[in-house]
PDB file of all heavy atoms in Angstrom:
ATOM      1  N   HIS A   1      67.547  42.786 -21.594  1.00 95.00           N
ATOM      2  CA  HIS A   1      66.646  43.823 -22.105  1.00 95.00           C
ATOM      3  C   HIS A   1      65.389  43.209 -22.724  1.00 95.00           C
ATOM      4  O   HIS A   1      64.284  43.750 -22.550  1.00 95.00           O
ATOM      5  CB  HIS A   1      67.355  44.716 -23.122  1.00 95.00           C
ATOM      6  CG  HIS A   1      68.358  45.631 -22.504  1.00 95.00           C
ATOM      7  ND1 HIS A   1      68.013  46.641 -21.638  1.00 95.00           N
ATOM      8  CD2 HIS A   1      69.709  45.682 -22.612  1.00 95.00           C
ATOM      9  CE1 HIS A   1      69.100  47.278 -21.233  1.00 95.00           C
ATOM     10  NE2 HIS A   1      70.142  46.709 -21.812  1.00 95.00           N
ATOM     11  N   GLN A   2      65.528  42.104 -23.437  1.00 94.00           N
ATOM     12  CA  GLN A   2      64.371  41.461 -24.041  1.00 94.00           C
ATOM     13  C   GLN A   2      63.441  40.908 -22.969  1.00 94.00           C
ATOM     14  O   GLN A   2      62.223  41.032 -23.067  1.00 94.00           O
ATOM     15  CB  GLN A   2      64.805  40.350 -25.004  1.00 94.00           C
ATOM     16  CG  GLN A   2      65.538  40.870 -26.222  1.00 94.00           C
ATOM     17  CD  GLN A   2      64.743  41.912 -26.963  1.00 94.00           C
ATOM     18  OE1 GLN A   2      63.721  41.612 -27.557  1.00 94.00           O
ATOM     19  NE2 GLN A   2      65.201  43.154 -26.915  1.00 94.00           N
ATOM     20  N   MET A   3      64.000  40.318 -21.932  1.00 90.00           N
ATOM     21  CA  MET A   3      63.189  39.792 -20.834  1.00 90.00           C
ATOM     22  C   MET A   3      62.483  40.921 -20.088  1.00 90.00           C
ATOM     23  O   MET A   3      61.431  40.711 -19.494  1.00 90.00           O
ATOM     24  CB  MET A   3      64.055  38.982 -19.857  1.00 90.00           C
ATOM     25  CG  MET A   3      64.605  37.693 -20.416  1.00 90.00           C
ATOM     26  SD  MET A   3      63.346  36.445 -20.745  1.00 90.00           S
ATOM     27  CE  MET A   3      62.668  36.170 -19.128  1.00 90.00           C
ATOM     28  N   ASP A   4      63.050  42.121 -20.121  1.00 90.00           N
ATOM     29  CA  ASP A   4      62.444  43.285 -19.467  1.00 90.00           C
ATOM     30  C   ASP A   4      61.433  43.981 -20.368  1.00 90.00           C
ATOM     31  O   ASP A   4      60.860  44.999 -19.993  1.00 90.00           O
ATOM     32  CB  ASP A   4      63.523  44.281 -19.042  1.00 90.00           C
ATOM     33  CG  ASP A   4      64.350  43.769 -17.874  1.00 90.00           C
ATOM     34  OD1 ASP A   4      63.918  42.808 -17.205  1.00 90.00           O
ATOM     35  OD2 ASP A   4      65.426  44.328 -17.623  1.00 90.00           O
ATOM     36  N   GLY A   5      61.226  43.461 -21.580  1.00 92.00           N
ATOM     37  CA  GLY A   5      60.211  43.997 -22.473  1.00 92.00           C
ATOM     38  C   GLY A   5      60.687  45.088 -23.413  1.00 92.00           C
ATOM     39  O   GLY A   5      59.869  45.726 -24.077  1.00 92.00           O
ATOM     40  N   ASP A   6      61.990  45.309 -23.496  1.00 95.00           N
ATOM     41  CA  ASP A   6      62.505  46.325 -24.408  1.00 95.00           C
ATOM     42  C   ASP A   6      62.370  45.868 -25.857  1.00 95.00           C
ATOM     43  O   ASP A   6      62.295  44.675 -26.151  1.00 95.00           O
ATOM     44  CB  ASP A   6      63.985  46.620 -24.124  1.00 95.00           C
ATOM     45  CG  ASP A   6      64.202  47.313 -22.794  1.00 95.00           C
ATOM     46  OD1 ASP A   6      63.213  47.667 -22.128  1.00 95.00           O
ATOM     47  OD2 ASP A   6      65.368  47.492 -22.416  1.00 95.00           O
ATOM     48  N   ARG A   7      62.377  46.844 -26.756  1.00 95.00           N
ATOM     49  CA  ARG A   7      62.349  46.538 -28.192  1.00 95.00           C
ATOM     50  C   ARG A   7      63.738  46.049 -28.623  1.00 95.00           C
ATOM     51  O   ARG A   7      64.739  46.491 -28.071  1.00 95.00           O
ATOM     52  CB  ARG A   7      62.011  47.793 -28.982  1.00 95.00           C
ATOM     53  CG  ARG A   7      60.599  48.248 -28.801  1.00 95.00           C
ATOM     54  CD  ARG A   7      60.361  49.539 -29.590  1.00 95.00           C
ATOM     55  NE  ARG A   7      58.963  49.650 -29.875  1.00 95.00           N
ATOM     56  CZ  ARG A   7      58.420  49.416 -31.066  1.00 95.00           C
ATOM     57  NH1 ARG A   7      59.173  49.111 -32.084  1.00 95.00           N
ATOM     58  NH2 ARG A   7      57.122  49.521 -31.237  1.00 95.00           N
ATOM     59  N   PRO A   8      63.782  45.194 -29.619  1.00 94.00           N
ATOM     60  CA  PRO A   8      65.087  44.798 -30.161  1.00 94.00           C
ATOM     61  C   PRO A   8      65.786  46.009 -30.775  1.00 94.00           C
ATOM     62  O   PRO A   8      65.113  46.982 -31.144  1.00 94.00           O
ATOM     63  CB  PRO A   8      64.735  43.777 -31.248  1.00 94.00           C
ATOM     64  CG  PRO A   8      63.326  43.392 -31.011  1.00 94.00           C
ATOM     65  CD  PRO A   8      62.666  44.509 -30.271  1.00 94.00           C
ATOM     66  N   PRO A   9      67.089  45.957 -30.901  1.00 95.00           N
ATOM     67  CA  PRO A   9      67.806  47.077 -31.523  1.00 95.00           C
ATOM     68  C   PRO A   9      67.298  47.318 -32.952  1.00 95.00           C
ATOM     69  O   PRO A   9      66.960  46.378 -33.669  1.00 95.00           O
ATOM     70  CB  PRO A   9      69.264  46.622 -31.552  1.00 95.00           C
ATOM     71  CG  PRO A   9      69.354  45.505 -30.577  1.00 95.00           C
ATOM     72  CD  PRO A   9      67.999  44.885 -30.495  1.00 95.00           C
ATOM     73  N   ALA A  10      67.264  48.565 -33.325  1.00 96.00           N
ATOM     74  CA  ALA A  10      66.789  48.935 -34.668  1.00 96.00           C
ATOM     75  C   ALA A  10      67.762  48.446 -35.734  1.00 96.00           C
ATOM     76  O   ALA A  10      68.975  48.380 -35.507  1.00 96.00           O
ATOM     77  CB  ALA A  10      66.639  50.448 -34.751  1.00 96.00           C
ATOM     78  N   SER A  11      67.218  48.151 -36.886  1.00 96.00           N
ATOM     79  CA  SER A  11      68.031  47.728 -38.019  1.00 96.00           C
ATOM     80  C   SER A  11      69.092  48.783 -38.327  1.00 96.00           C
ATOM     81  O   SER A  11      68.787  49.975 -38.396  1.00 96.00           O
ATOM     82  CB  SER A  11      67.122  47.525 -39.229  1.00 96.00           C
ATOM     83  OG  SER A  11      67.874  47.130 -40.344  1.00 96.00           O
ATOM     84  N   GLY A  12      70.321  48.332 -38.459  1.00 96.00           N
ATOM     85  CA  GLY A  12      71.417  49.225 -38.799  1.00 96.00           C
ATOM     86  C   GLY A  12      71.973  50.022 -37.633  1.00 96.00           C
ATOM     87  O   GLY A  12      72.915  50.790 -37.806  1.00 96.00           O
ATOM     88  N   SER A  13      71.417  49.837 -36.430  1.00 97.00           N
ATOM     89  CA  SER A  13      71.886  50.600 -35.267  1.00 97.00           C
ATOM     90  C   SER A  13      73.217  50.050 -34.752  1.00 97.00           C
ATOM     91  O   SER A  13      73.590  48.903 -35.035  1.00 97.00           O
ATOM     92  CB  SER A  13      70.850  50.551 -34.146  1.00 97.00           C
ATOM     93  OG  SER A  13      70.773  49.238 -33.605  1.00 97.00           O
ATOM     94  N   ALA A  14      73.907  50.876 -34.004  1.00 97.00           N
ATOM     95  CA  ALA A  14      75.177  50.449 -33.397  1.00 97.00           C
ATOM     96  C   ALA A  14      74.951  49.281 -32.454  1.00 97.00           C
ATOM     97  O   ALA A  14      75.779  48.359 -32.389  1.00 97.00           O
ATOM     98  CB  ALA A  14      75.816  51.626 -32.661  1.00 97.00           C
ATOM     99  N   ASP A  15      73.815  49.286 -31.729  1.00 96.00           N
ATOM    100  CA  ASP A  15      73.527  48.182 -30.805  1.00 96.00           C
ATOM    101  C   ASP A  15      73.336  46.864 -31.553  1.00 96.00           C
ATOM    102  O   ASP A  15      73.818  45.819 -31.113  1.00 96.00           O
ATOM    103  CB  ASP A  15      72.283  48.484 -29.973  1.00 96.00           C
ATOM    104  CG  ASP A  15      72.523  49.533 -28.907  1.00 96.00           C
ATOM    105  OD1 ASP A  15      73.695  49.795 -28.556  1.00 96.00           O
ATOM    106  OD2 ASP A  15      71.527  50.098 -28.407  1.00 96.00           O
ATOM    107  N   LEU A  16      72.630  46.912 -32.669  1.00 97.00           N
ATOM    108  CA  LEU A  16      72.419  45.695 -33.446  1.00 97.00           C
ATOM    109  C   LEU A  16      73.741  45.209 -34.043  1.00 97.00           C
ATOM    110  O   LEU A  16      74.030  44.010 -34.034  1.00 97.00           O
ATOM    111  CB  LEU A  16      71.389  45.903 -34.546  1.00 97.00           C
ATOM    112  CG  LEU A  16      71.062  44.658 -35.374  1.00 97.00           C
ATOM    113  CD1 LEU A  16      70.539  43.533 -34.492  1.00 97.00           C
ATOM    114  CD2 LEU A  16      70.072  44.995 -36.472  1.00 97.00           C
ATOM    115  N   MET A  17      74.545  46.117 -34.532  1.00 98.00           N
ATOM    116  CA  MET A  17      75.842  45.717 -35.093  1.00 98.00           C
ATOM    117  C   MET A  17      76.738  45.105 -34.015  1.00 98.00           C
ATOM    118  O   MET A  17      77.430  44.115 -34.267  1.00 98.00           O
ATOM    119  CB  MET A  17      76.510  46.899 -35.780  1.00 98.00           C
ATOM    120  CG  MET A  17      75.800  47.281 -37.083  1.00 98.00           C
ATOM    121  SD  MET A  17      76.666  48.493 -38.099  1.00 98.00           S
ATOM    122  CE  MET A  17      76.483  49.963 -37.117  1.00 98.00           C
ATOM    123  N   ALA A  18      76.699  45.655 -32.802  1.00 97.00           N
ATOM    124  CA  ALA A  18      77.495  45.099 -31.698  1.00 97.00           C
ATOM    125  C   ALA A  18      77.004  43.702 -31.344  1.00 97.00           C
ATOM    126  O   ALA A  18      77.814  42.790 -31.101  1.00 97.00           O
ATOM    127  CB  ALA A  18      77.426  46.014 -30.477  1.00 97.00           C
ATOM    128  N   LEU A  19      75.673  43.510 -31.320  1.00 98.00           N
ATOM    129  CA  LEU A  19      75.114  42.191 -31.038  1.00 98.00           C
ATOM    130  C   LEU A  19      75.503  41.192 -32.115  1.00 98.00           C
ATOM    131  O   LEU A  19      75.900  40.060 -31.820  1.00 98.00           O
ATOM    132  CB  LEU A  19      73.590  42.285 -30.904  1.00 98.00           C
ATOM    133  CG  LEU A  19      72.858  40.984 -30.608  1.00 98.00           C
ATOM    134  CD1 LEU A  19      73.327  40.365 -29.295  1.00 98.00           C
ATOM    135  CD2 LEU A  19      71.349  41.232 -30.597  1.00 98.00           C
ATOM    136  N   GLU A  20      75.382  41.590 -33.373  1.00 98.00           N
ATOM    137  CA  GLU A  20      75.763  40.704 -34.475  1.00 98.00           C
ATOM    138  C   GLU A  20      77.229  40.301 -34.378  1.00 98.00           C
ATOM    139  O   GLU A  20      77.576  39.133 -34.565  1.00 98.00           O
ATOM    140  CB  GLU A  20      75.491  41.385 -35.819  1.00 98.00           C
ATOM    141  CG  GLU A  20      74.022  41.520 -36.143  1.00 98.00           C
ATOM    142  CD  GLU A  20      73.771  42.366 -37.377  1.00 98.00           C
ATOM    143  OE1 GLU A  20      74.703  43.028 -37.893  1.00 98.00           O
ATOM    144  OE2 GLU A  20      72.611  42.379 -37.837  1.00 98.00           O
ATOM    145  N   GLN A  21      78.093  41.249 -34.081  1.00 98.00           N
ATOM    146  CA  GLN A  21      79.522  40.956 -33.948  1.00 98.00           C
ATOM    147  C   GLN A  21      79.772  40.031 -32.761  1.00 98.00           C
ATOM    148  O   GLN A  21      80.591  39.122 -32.836  1.00 98.00           O
ATOM    149  CB  GLN A  21      80.327  42.250 -33.798  1.00 98.00           C
ATOM    150  CG  GLN A  21      81.818  42.023 -33.656  1.00 98.00           C
ATOM    151  CD  GLN A  21      82.424  41.236 -34.818  1.00 98.00           C
ATOM    152  OE1 GLN A  21      82.065  41.443 -35.969  1.00 98.00           O
ATOM    153  NE2 GLN A  21      83.323  40.331 -34.507  1.00 98.00           N
ATOM    154  N   ALA A  22      79.058  40.255 -31.663  1.00 98.00           N
ATOM    155  CA  ALA A  22      79.221  39.405 -30.481  1.00 98.00           C
ATOM    156  C   ALA A  22      78.824  37.962 -30.795  1.00 98.00           C
ATOM    157  O   ALA A  22      79.535  37.020 -30.438  1.00 98.00           O
ATOM    158  CB  ALA A  22      78.390  39.956 -29.327  1.00 98.00           C
ATOM    159  N   ILE A  23      77.706  37.797 -31.469  1.00 97.00           N
ATOM    160  CA  ILE A  23      77.242  36.454 -31.834  1.00 97.00           C
ATOM    161  C   ILE A  23      78.236  35.798 -32.787  1.00 97.00           C
ATOM    162  O   ILE A  23      78.593  34.626 -32.624  1.00 97.00           O
ATOM    163  CB  ILE A  23      75.830  36.509 -32.438  1.00 97.00           C
ATOM    164  CG1 ILE A  23      74.831  36.919 -31.361  1.00 97.00           C
ATOM    165  CG2 ILE A  23      75.448  35.172 -33.069  1.00 97.00           C
ATOM    166  CD1 ILE A  23      73.455  37.272 -31.886  1.00 97.00           C
ATOM    167  N   ARG A  24      78.701  36.545 -33.756  1.00 97.00           N
ATOM    168  CA  ARG A  24      79.682  36.017 -34.707  1.00 97.00           C
ATOM    169  C   ARG A  24      80.960  35.582 -33.973  1.00 97.00           C
ATOM    170  O   ARG A  24      81.503  34.509 -34.219  1.00 97.00           O
ATOM    171  CB  ARG A  24      80.004  37.074 -35.761  1.00 97.00           C
ATOM    172  CG  ARG A  24      80.834  36.556 -36.921  1.00 97.00           C
ATOM    173  CD  ARG A  24      81.026  37.618 -38.013  1.00 97.00           C
ATOM    174  NE  ARG A  24      79.737  38.087 -38.525  1.00 97.00           N
ATOM    175  CZ  ARG A  24      79.226  39.308 -38.330  1.00 97.00           C
ATOM    176  NH1 ARG A  24      79.896  40.211 -37.647  1.00 97.00           N
ATOM    177  NH2 ARG A  24      78.054  39.637 -38.830  1.00 97.00           N
ATOM    178  N   SER A  25      81.415  36.406 -33.058  1.00 96.00           N
ATOM    179  CA  SER A  25      82.623  36.104 -32.292  1.00 96.00           C
ATOM    180  C   SER A  25      82.459  34.825 -31.471  1.00 96.00           C
ATOM    181  O   SER A  25      83.342  33.961 -31.455  1.00 96.00           O
ATOM    182  CB  SER A  25      82.953  37.277 -31.365  1.00 96.00           C
ATOM    183  OG  SER A  25      84.011  36.963 -30.506  1.00 96.00           O
ATOM    184  N   ILE A  26      81.334  34.705 -30.794  1.00 96.00           N
ATOM    185  CA  ILE A  26      81.068  33.496 -29.997  1.00 96.00           C
ATOM    186  C   ILE A  26      81.000  32.282 -30.912  1.00 96.00           C
ATOM    187  O   ILE A  26      81.582  31.230 -30.620  1.00 96.00           O
ATOM    188  CB  ILE A  26      79.756  33.653 -29.190  1.00 96.00           C
ATOM    189  CG1 ILE A  26      79.933  34.665 -28.063  1.00 96.00           C
ATOM    190  CG2 ILE A  26      79.273  32.312 -28.650  1.00 96.00           C
ATOM    191  CD1 ILE A  26      80.880  34.255 -26.960  1.00 96.00           C
ATOM    192  N   HIS A  27      80.302  32.425 -32.008  1.00 95.00           N
ATOM    193  CA  HIS A  27      80.137  31.301 -32.939  1.00 95.00           C
ATOM    194  C   HIS A  27      81.475  30.828 -33.506  1.00 95.00           C
ATOM    195  O   HIS A  27      81.711  29.632 -33.654  1.00 95.00           O
ATOM    196  CB  HIS A  27      79.193  31.710 -34.076  1.00 95.00           C
ATOM    197  CG  HIS A  27      78.966  30.639 -35.078  1.00 95.00           C
ATOM    198  ND1 HIS A  27      78.213  29.523 -34.823  1.00 95.00           N
ATOM    199  CD2 HIS A  27      79.404  30.515 -36.356  1.00 95.00           C
ATOM    200  CE1 HIS A  27      78.215  28.745 -35.900  1.00 95.00           C
ATOM    201  NE2 HIS A  27      78.917  29.330 -36.840  1.00 95.00           N
ATOM    202  N   GLU A  28      82.344  31.756 -33.812  1.00 96.00           N
ATOM    203  CA  GLU A  28      83.604  31.412 -34.485  1.00 96.00           C
ATOM    204  C   GLU A  28      84.750  31.086 -33.530  1.00 96.00           C
ATOM    205  O   GLU A  28      85.642  30.324 -33.894  1.00 96.00           O
ATOM    206  CB  GLU A  28      84.027  32.570 -35.390  1.00 96.00           C
ATOM    207  CG  GLU A  28      83.081  32.784 -36.559  1.00 96.00           C
ATOM    208  CD  GLU A  28      83.395  34.032 -37.365  1.00 96.00           C
ATOM    209  OE1 GLU A  28      84.277  34.824 -36.952  1.00 96.00           O
ATOM    210  OE2 GLU A  28      82.748  34.231 -38.412  1.00 96.00           O
ATOM    211  N   GLN A  29      84.767  31.667 -32.325  1.00 94.00           N
ATOM    212  CA  GLN A  29      85.974  31.588 -31.514  1.00 94.00           C
ATOM    213  C   GLN A  29      85.793  31.110 -30.076  1.00 94.00           C
ATOM    214  O   GLN A  29      86.784  30.909 -29.387  1.00 94.00           O
ATOM    215  CB  GLN A  29      86.617  32.977 -31.430  1.00 94.00           C
ATOM    216  CG  GLN A  29      86.904  33.603 -32.747  1.00 94.00           C
ATOM    217  CD  GLN A  29      87.329  35.056 -32.589  1.00 94.00           C
ATOM    218  OE1 GLN A  29      87.607  35.530 -31.502  1.00 94.00           O
ATOM    219  NE2 GLN A  29      87.383  35.771 -33.698  1.00 94.00           N
ATOM    220  N   ALA A  30      84.577  30.974 -29.595  1.00 94.00           N
ATOM    221  CA  ALA A  30      84.376  30.709 -28.174  1.00 94.00           C
ATOM    222  C   ALA A  30      84.945  29.366 -27.750  1.00 94.00           C
ATOM    223  O   ALA A  30      84.818  28.369 -28.460  1.00 94.00           O
ATOM    224  CB  ALA A  30      82.896  30.778 -27.827  1.00 94.00           C
TER     225      ALA A  30
END
């Protein structure tokens, strides 16, 4: 989405929370 020019997820949005959780999961368990 970023490469396609979309805006980043809004602060506090479900999309941003999902991204944060995904990054945390990869960082801690991958």
Side-chain angles (χ1 to χ4, degrees):
H1 288 295
Q2 294 305 291
M3 292 292 299
D4 289 344
D6 292 354
R7 290 178 156 255
S11 179
S13 69
D15 287 342
L16 182 59
M17 289 189 290
L19 180 60
E20 289 172 349
Q21 180 57 40
I23 292 169
R24 190 175 302 111
S25 173
I26 289 293
H27 180 72
E28 293 173 353
Q29 305 171 12

